[in-house]
mmCIF file of all heavy atoms in Angstrom:
data_model
loop_
_atom_site.group_PDB
_atom_site.id
_atom_site.type_symbol
_atom_site.label_atom_id
_atom_site.label_comp_id
_atom_site.label_asym_id
_atom_site.label_seq_id
_atom_site.Cartn_x
_atom_site.Cartn_y
_atom_site.Cartn_z
ATOM 1 N N GLN S 1 0.832 -1.200 0.000
ATOM 2 C CA GLN S 1 0.000 0.000 0.000
ATOM 3 C C GLN S 1 0.868 1.252 0.000
ATOM 4 O O GLN S 1 0.633 2.184 -0.776
ATOM 5 C CB GLN S 1 -0.901 0.042 1.245
ATOM 6 C CG GLN S 1 -2.024 -0.947 1.277
ATOM 7 C CD GLN S 1 -2.747 -0.867 2.615
ATOM 8 O OE1 GLN S 1 -2.175 -1.182 3.650
ATOM 9 N NE2 GLN S 1 -3.990 -0.446 2.564
ATOM 10 N N LEU S 2 1.850 1.277 0.888
ATOM 11 C CA LEU S 2 2.703 2.456 0.998
ATOM 12 C C LEU S 2 3.528 2.672 -0.262
ATOM 13 O O LEU S 2 3.749 3.809 -0.673
ATOM 14 C CB LEU S 2 3.596 2.351 2.230
ATOM 15 C CG LEU S 2 2.838 2.419 3.559
ATOM 16 C CD1 LEU S 2 3.765 2.156 4.723
ATOM 17 C CD2 LEU S 2 2.135 3.756 3.724
ATOM 18 N N LYS S 3 3.934 1.588 -0.884
ATOM 19 C CA LYS S 3 4.691 1.702 -2.138
ATOM 20 C C LYS S 3 3.855 2.404 -3.204
ATOM 21 O O LYS S 3 4.370 3.205 -3.985
ATOM 22 C CB LYS S 3 5.124 0.314 -2.617
ATOM 23 C CG LYS S 3 6.043 0.335 -3.798
ATOM 24 C CD LYS S 3 6.497 -1.072 -4.148
ATOM 25 C CE LYS S 3 7.412 -1.051 -5.344
ATOM 26 N NZ LYS S 3 7.869 -2.375 -5.728
ATOM 27 N N ASP S 4 2.552 2.107 -3.216
ATOM 28 C CA ASP S 4 1.647 2.714 -4.200
ATOM 29 C C ASP S 4 1.203 4.128 -3.818
ATOM 30 O O ASP S 4 0.938 4.943 -4.690
ATOM 31 C CB ASP S 4 0.400 1.846 -4.379
ATOM 32 C CG ASP S 4 0.700 0.514 -5.054
ATOM 33 O OD1 ASP S 4 1.742 0.409 -5.734
ATOM 34 O OD2 ASP S 4 -0.108 -0.416 -4.887
ATOM 35 N N LEU S 5 1.100 4.403 -2.523
ATOM 36 C CA LEU S 5 0.484 5.647 -2.066
ATOM 37 C C LEU S 5 1.453 6.735 -1.618
ATOM 38 O O LEU S 5 1.079 7.889 -1.498
ATOM 39 C CB LEU S 5 -0.471 5.352 -0.901
ATOM 40 C CG LEU S 5 -1.644 4.427 -1.214
ATOM 41 C CD1 LEU S 5 -2.396 4.076 0.057
ATOM 42 C CD2 LEU S 5 -2.573 5.084 -2.226
ATOM 43 N N LEU S 6 2.705 6.365 -1.355
ATOM 44 C CA LEU S 6 3.666 7.307 -0.793
ATOM 45 C C LEU S 6 4.832 7.500 -1.757
ATOM 46 O O LEU S 6 5.415 6.527 -2.239
ATOM 47 C CB LEU S 6 4.179 6.761 0.545
ATOM 48 C CG LEU S 6 4.992 7.678 1.440
ATOM 49 C CD1 LEU S 6 4.159 8.880 1.883
ATOM 50 C CD2 LEU S 6 5.487 6.916 2.664
ATOM 51 N N SER S 7 5.151 8.750 -2.049
ATOM 52 C CA SER S 7 6.300 9.042 -2.904
ATOM 53 C C SER S 7 7.151 10.129 -2.255
ATOM 54 O O SER S 7 6.729 10.777 -1.298
ATOM 55 C CB SER S 7 5.842 9.478 -4.300
ATOM 56 O OG SER S 7 5.076 10.664 -4.225
ATOM 57 N N PHE S 8 8.344 10.300 -2.809
ATOM 58 C CA PHE S 8 9.312 11.232 -2.237
ATOM 59 C C PHE S 8 9.859 12.143 -3.324
ATOM 60 O O PHE S 8 9.987 11.749 -4.474
ATOM 61 C CB PHE S 8 10.469 10.462 -1.593
ATOM 62 C CG PHE S 8 10.025 9.469 -0.559
ATOM 63 C CD1 PHE S 8 9.885 8.127 -0.880
ATOM 64 C CD2 PHE S 8 9.717 9.876 0.726
ATOM 65 C CE1 PHE S 8 9.462 7.205 0.062
ATOM 66 C CE2 PHE S 8 9.298 8.964 1.680
ATOM 67 C CZ PHE S 8 9.173 7.626 1.348
ATOM 68 N N LYS S 9 10.233 13.341 -2.890
ATOM 69 C CA LYS S 9 10.780 14.335 -3.808
ATOM 70 C C LYS S 9 11.880 15.099 -3.069
ATOM 71 O O LYS S 9 11.808 15.276 -1.850
ATOM 72 C CB LYS S 9 9.650 15.287 -4.226
ATOM 73 C CG LYS S 9 10.051 16.407 -5.135
ATOM 74 C CD LYS S 9 8.845 17.267 -5.460
ATOM 75 C CE LYS S 9 9.279 18.507 -6.214
ATOM 76 N NZ LYS S 9 8.159 19.411 -6.462
ATOM 77 N N GLY S 10 12.883 15.536 -3.787
ATOM 78 C CA GLY S 10 13.911 16.388 -3.206
ATOM 79 C C GLY S 10 14.849 15.682 -2.245
ATOM 80 O O GLY S 10 15.397 16.315 -1.342
ATOM 81 N N LEU S 11 15.038 14.375 -2.442
ATOM 82 C CA LEU S 11 15.910 13.613 -1.554
ATOM 83 C C LEU S 11 17.370 13.774 -1.944
ATOM 84 O O LEU S 11 17.704 13.687 -3.120
ATOM 85 C CB LEU S 11 15.580 12.116 -1.626
ATOM 86 C CG LEU S 11 14.216 11.650 -1.152
ATOM 87 C CD1 LEU S 11 14.082 10.156 -1.387
ATOM 88 C CD2 LEU S 11 14.022 11.971 0.307
ATOM 89 N N ASN S 12 18.222 13.969 -0.935
ATOM 90 C CA ASN S 12 19.647 13.829 -1.206
ATOM 91 C C ASN S 12 20.023 12.387 -0.847
ATOM 92 O O ASN S 12 19.211 11.636 -0.306
ATOM 93 C CB ASN S 12 20.480 14.879 -0.453
ATOM 94 C CG ASN S 12 20.381 14.756 1.053
ATOM 95 O OD1 ASN S 12 20.289 13.662 1.609
ATOM 96 N ND2 ASN S 12 20.419 15.891 1.745
ATOM 97 N N ASP S 13 21.245 11.998 -1.148
ATOM 98 C CA ASP S 13 21.657 10.605 -0.929
ATOM 99 C C ASP S 13 21.555 10.191 0.534
ATOM 100 O O ASP S 13 21.121 9.078 0.840
ATOM 101 C CB ASP S 13 23.088 10.379 -1.430
ATOM 102 C CG ASP S 13 23.184 10.418 -2.946
ATOM 103 O OD1 ASP S 13 22.143 10.307 -3.623
ATOM 104 O OD2 ASP S 13 24.313 10.569 -3.459
ATOM 105 N N ASP S 14 21.952 11.071 1.445
ATOM 106 C CA ASP S 14 21.929 10.748 2.872
ATOM 107 C C ASP S 14 20.502 10.472 3.360
ATOM 108 O O ASP S 14 20.260 9.492 4.062
ATOM 109 C CB ASP S 14 22.552 11.892 3.686
ATOM 110 C CG ASP S 14 22.613 11.581 5.166
ATOM 111 O OD1 ASP S 14 23.166 10.527 5.529
ATOM 112 O OD2 ASP S 14 22.094 12.400 5.958
ATOM 113 N N ILE S 15 19.571 11.305 2.955
ATOM 114 C CA ILE S 15 18.176 11.116 3.377
ATOM 115 C C ILE S 15 17.606 9.855 2.745
ATOM 116 O O ILE S 15 16.899 9.090 3.399
ATOM 117 C CB ILE S 15 17.323 12.361 3.049
ATOM 118 C CG1 ILE S 15 17.799 13.558 3.875
ATOM 119 C CG2 ILE S 15 15.839 12.084 3.315
ATOM 120 C CD1 ILE S 15 17.166 14.879 3.481
ATOM 121 N N ALA S 16 17.917 9.610 1.487
ATOM 122 C CA ALA S 16 17.426 8.394 0.813
ATOM 123 C C ALA S 16 17.918 7.137 1.523
ATOM 124 O O ALA S 16 17.154 6.184 1.724
ATOM 125 C CB ALA S 16 17.861 8.395 -0.648
ATOM 126 N N ILE S 17 19.179 7.126 1.934
ATOM 127 C CA ILE S 17 19.731 5.979 2.657
ATOM 128 C C ILE S 17 19.031 5.799 3.996
ATOM 129 O O ILE S 17 18.688 4.679 4.389
ATOM 130 C CB ILE S 17 21.257 6.149 2.848
ATOM 131 C CG1 ILE S 17 21.957 5.981 1.495
ATOM 132 C CG2 ILE S 17 21.809 5.167 3.871
ATOM 133 C CD1 ILE S 17 23.412 6.432 1.489
ATOM 134 N N ARG S 18 18.786 6.895 4.699
ATOM 135 C CA ARG S 18 18.102 6.812 6.002
ATOM 136 C C ARG S 18 16.662 6.317 5.842
ATOM 137 O O ARG S 18 16.175 5.524 6.643
ATOM 138 C CB ARG S 18 18.124 8.160 6.710
ATOM 139 C CG ARG S 18 19.488 8.532 7.237
ATOM 140 C CD ARG S 18 19.445 9.889 7.957
ATOM 141 N NE ARG S 18 20.771 10.398 8.168
ATOM 142 C CZ ARG S 18 21.542 10.097 9.198
ATOM 143 N NH1 ARG S 18 21.099 9.278 10.122
ATOM 144 N NH2 ARG S 18 22.741 10.608 9.318
ATOM 145 N N ILE S 19 15.977 6.774 4.813
ATOM 146 C CA ILE S 19 14.607 6.313 4.561
ATOM 147 C C ILE S 19 14.610 4.813 4.280
ATOM 148 O O ILE S 19 13.762 4.080 4.803
ATOM 149 C CB ILE S 19 13.945 7.105 3.411
ATOM 150 C CG1 ILE S 19 13.636 8.529 3.880
ATOM 151 C CG2 ILE S 19 12.681 6.404 2.920
ATOM 152 C CD1 ILE S 19 13.138 9.448 2.790
ATOM 153 N N LYS S 20 15.544 4.349 3.486
ATOM 154 C CA LYS S 20 15.646 2.917 3.194
ATOM 155 C C LYS S 20 15.883 2.123 4.469
ATOM 156 O O LYS S 20 15.233 1.102 4.721
ATOM 157 C CB LYS S 20 16.778 2.682 2.190
ATOM 158 C CG LYS S 20 17.098 1.231 1.921
ATOM 159 C CD LYS S 20 16.141 0.629 0.923
ATOM 160 C CE LYS S 20 16.645 -0.731 0.471
ATOM 161 N NZ LYS S 20 15.780 -1.815 0.849
ATOM 162 N N LYS S 21 16.771 2.599 5.319
ATOM 163 C CA LYS S 21 17.069 1.921 6.584
ATOM 164 C C LYS S 21 15.836 1.891 7.484
ATOM 165 O O LYS S 21 15.500 0.857 8.065
ATOM 166 C CB LYS S 21 18.214 2.642 7.303
ATOM 167 C CG LYS S 21 18.699 1.930 8.553
ATOM 168 C CD LYS S 21 19.822 2.700 9.228
ATOM 169 C CE LYS S 21 21.059 2.671 8.356
ATOM 170 N NZ LYS S 21 22.235 3.277 9.011
ATOM 171 N N VAL S 22 15.134 3.012 7.584
ATOM 172 C CA VAL S 22 13.932 3.104 8.423
ATOM 173 C C VAL S 22 12.834 2.187 7.898
ATOM 174 O O VAL S 22 12.193 1.471 8.671
ATOM 175 C CB VAL S 22 13.444 4.568 8.514
ATOM 176 C CG1 VAL S 22 12.019 4.659 9.027
ATOM 177 C CG2 VAL S 22 14.382 5.381 9.406
ATOM 178 N N THR S 23 12.610 2.175 6.593
ATOM 179 C CA THR S 23 11.531 1.343 6.052
ATOM 180 C C THR S 23 11.865 -0.142 6.193
ATOM 181 O O THR S 23 10.989 -0.934 6.537
ATOM 182 C CB THR S 23 11.217 1.681 4.585
ATOM 183 O OG1 THR S 23 12.392 1.551 3.790
ATOM 184 C CG2 THR S 23 10.666 3.092 4.449
ATOM 185 N N ASP S 24 13.113 -0.519 5.951
ATOM 186 C CA ASP S 24 13.498 -1.923 6.111
ATOM 187 C C ASP S 24 13.297 -2.381 7.555
ATOM 188 O O ASP S 24 12.757 -3.467 7.803
ATOM 189 C CB ASP S 24 14.958 -2.139 5.702
ATOM 190 C CG ASP S 24 15.174 -2.048 4.199
ATOM 191 O OD1 ASP S 24 14.181 -2.026 3.446
ATOM 192 O OD2 ASP S 24 16.352 -1.996 3.789
ATOM 193 N N THR S 25 13.720 -1.563 8.493
ATOM 194 C CA THR S 25 13.575 -1.910 9.910
ATOM 195 C C THR S 25 12.110 -1.949 10.321
ATOM 196 O O THR S 25 11.683 -2.858 11.041
ATOM 197 C CB THR S 25 14.347 -0.905 10.793
ATOM 198 O OG1 THR S 25 15.718 -0.906 10.394
ATOM 199 C CG2 THR S 25 14.247 -1.273 12.265
ATOM 200 N N ALA S 26 11.324 -0.992 9.856
ATOM 201 C CA ALA S 26 9.897 -0.951 10.212
ATOM 202 C C ALA S 26 9.160 -2.179 9.679
ATOM 203 O O ALA S 26 8.311 -2.743 10.376
ATOM 204 C CB ALA S 26 9.257 0.321 9.664
ATOM 205 N N LYS S 27 9.489 -2.604 8.474
ATOM 206 C CA LYS S 27 8.856 -3.797 7.903
ATOM 207 C C LYS S 27 9.131 -5.018 8.780
ATOM 208 O O LYS S 27 8.223 -5.802 9.078
ATOM 209 C CB LYS S 27 9.365 -4.058 6.483
ATOM 210 C CG LYS S 27 8.869 -3.069 5.468
ATOM 211 C CD LYS S 27 9.547 -3.324 4.127
ATOM 212 C CE LYS S 27 9.354 -2.186 3.166
ATOM 213 N NZ LYS S 27 10.071 -2.423 1.905
#
């Protein structure tokens, strides 16, 4: 659901890496 409903804009590499880490851990 979140993959379909949530998107991101204006990410730098550091924020993108942190988002990936947070989403992997939350799953």
Side-chain angles (χ1 to χ4, degrees):
Q1 289 175 294
L2 293 174
K3 187 176 180 180
D4 292 339
L5 298 173
L6 191 63
S7 62
F8 304 98
K9 178 180 172 184
L11 296 177
N12 63 36
D13 290 343
D14 183 54
I15 295 171
I17 289 167
R18 288 181 194 274
I19 289 173
K20 173 81 169 116
K21 186 181 292 186
V22 164
T23 57
D24 288 349
T25 303
K27 289 174 194 177

